[in-house]
Amino acid sequence: ELSPEDSETAFCTLANREDLNLEEGSVQYCLYQFTRNEKLTETNKLLCDVCTQMHYGPKKNIKSEKKYVYTNARKQMLISLAPPVLTLHLKRFQQGGFNLRKVNKHVKFPEVIDLAPFCTAKCKNVAEGETKVLYSLYGVVEHSGTMRSGHYTAYAKMRNMNNNLSDLVLRGQAPQALETEPVKGQWFHISDTHVQAVSAAKVLNSQAYLLFYERLL
C-alpha cells in the first residue's frame, strides 16, 4: 500500500528521462525500455483489494463468493537501491517457434554510465540533491559461437584498489565526492591461459554478454 506522498513520487526519477538522447541498440536504450511506464488495462487490469472491499464489503465475504474488482493501473520498474557493483546481463538469444537462435547484434555500451534516469527519486545510497549515479566499466564477458557451442572470453581492467567502494559495500554509505571520468587502468583480454593487453576501443567494440560496472566515488 502506498501513502499519498509515496504515490506522488512513485513514478519520479532522479534525472529527467525525457531529456535522454538515446541511440537504439545501446545499453541505455535497453534500460529505458525495461524501466518504461506501462499501462495495465483490459485483460491486464490490476486486482485491487481496496476497490473490492469498497464494492463488496469485508474480505471474509469476498473469498467465499470469489468476487473481485479489477482496475486500470500503471506499473514501472525502477532502481530503488544503487548497488556498489552493477552487473548487466544482455539477452543474447531469440525464440522463434520451438527454436532458439543466438543474437549477434552489437549492443553499444559506454565506459561511464549514469543510472540516475532509471532510479527512483528516493533512491537509497544516493546523496540528497544528487542527480547523477555514475558507474565505470571494469569487466566484460564475451561469447563467440552458437547456442549449441562456443567459447567465453573476458576483458578486465587492471586498476588501483578503490577503498571508498569497499566502504560503500561494508557500510552502505552514499558517496561524498562523485567522479565523472572512467577509472584509470589497463585493459586485458583473457582467453583460457592467454592474456593480452588491449585498448579501450577494442573492449567497447566487443559482443558483450555480461557487463560489470563499479560505482564512481
Side-chain angles (χ1 to χ4, degrees):
E1 296 182 2
L2 295 175
S3 68
E5 182 182 354
D6 290 333
S7 62
E8 291 177 3
T9 60
F11 298 96
C12 295
T13 52
L14 284 174
N16 191 351
R17 295 164 58 86
E18 305 312 316
D19 291 341
L20 294 174
N21 185 17
L22 299 173
E23 182 178 359
E24 190 171 351
S26 66
V27 164
Q28 293 94 324
Y29 182 82
C30 295
L31 285 170
Y32 182 87
Q33 292 297 320
F34 186 76
T35 59
R36 71 186 186 278
N37 195 320
E38 300 178 60
K39 293 182 179 180
L40 304 180
T41 60
E42 299 179 355
T43 56
N44 289 323
K45 284 184 177 181
L46 186 71
L47 192 159
C48 178
D49 287 335
V50 175
C51 303
T52 301
Q53 290 184 53
M54 290 176 61
H55 194 274
Y56 291 110
K59 284 186 177 181
K60 61 181 181 181
N61 298 329
I62 300 171
K63 291 184 178 180
S64 60
E65 300 179 20
K66 295 184 178 180
K67 294 179 178 179
Y68 305 101
V69 173
Y70 294 82
T71 184
N72 292 332
R74 286 191 298 159
K75 182 186 80 170
Q76 187 174 25
M77 297 181 66
L78 295 171
I79 299 169
S80 62
L81 174 66
V85 174
L86 173 68
T87 305
L88 298 178
H89 183 185
L90 304 181
K91 182 180 176 181
R92 282 290 179 186
F93 67 91
Q94 188 173 33
Q95 186 168 1
F98 295 100
N99 298 318
L100 290 175
R101 70 178 185 86
K102 186 184 174 187
V103 177
N104 291 310
K105 181 180 180 181
H106 176 67
V107 177
K108 294 184 179 180
F109 54 94
E111 280 196 85
V112 174
I113 190 169
D114 184 8
L115 281 192
F118 319 111
C119 293
T120 64
K122 296 184 178 181
C123 187
K124 302 172 185 176
N125 283 352
V126 177
E128 187 176 352
E130 188 60 68
T131 58
K132 289 185 179 294
V133 183
L134 301 180
Y135 289 80
S136 178
L137 183 71
Y138 74 89
V140 179
V141 173
E142 185 179 38
H143 179 267
S144 59
T146 65
M147 292 291 295
R148 294 182 178 275
S149 64
H151 181 58
Y152 288 97
T153 58
Y155 294 91
K157 179 187 278 189
M158 186 177 70
R159 62 213 185 281
N160 293 329
M161 181 180 293
N162 190 335
N163 293 323
N164 289 328
L165 186 64
S166 300
D167 291 339
L168 179 60
V169 173
L170 296 174
R171 299 182 178 85
Q173 296 175 341
Q176 299 301 315
L178 194 65
E179 298 290 339
T180 58
E181 298 296 325
V183 175
K184 293 181 180 180
Q186 173 63 55
W187 281 100
F188 289 90
H189 182 237
I190 303 103
S191 178
D192 293 334
T193 59
H194 181 69
V195 180
Q196 180 184 13
V198 295
S199 65
K202 182 173 178 60
V203 176
L204 296 177
N205 284 324
S206 64
Q207 295 280 58
Y209 178 59
L210 289 169
L211 297 169
F212 299 91
Y213 288 87
E214 62 181 326
R215 184 88 175 269
L216 279 175
L217 301 172

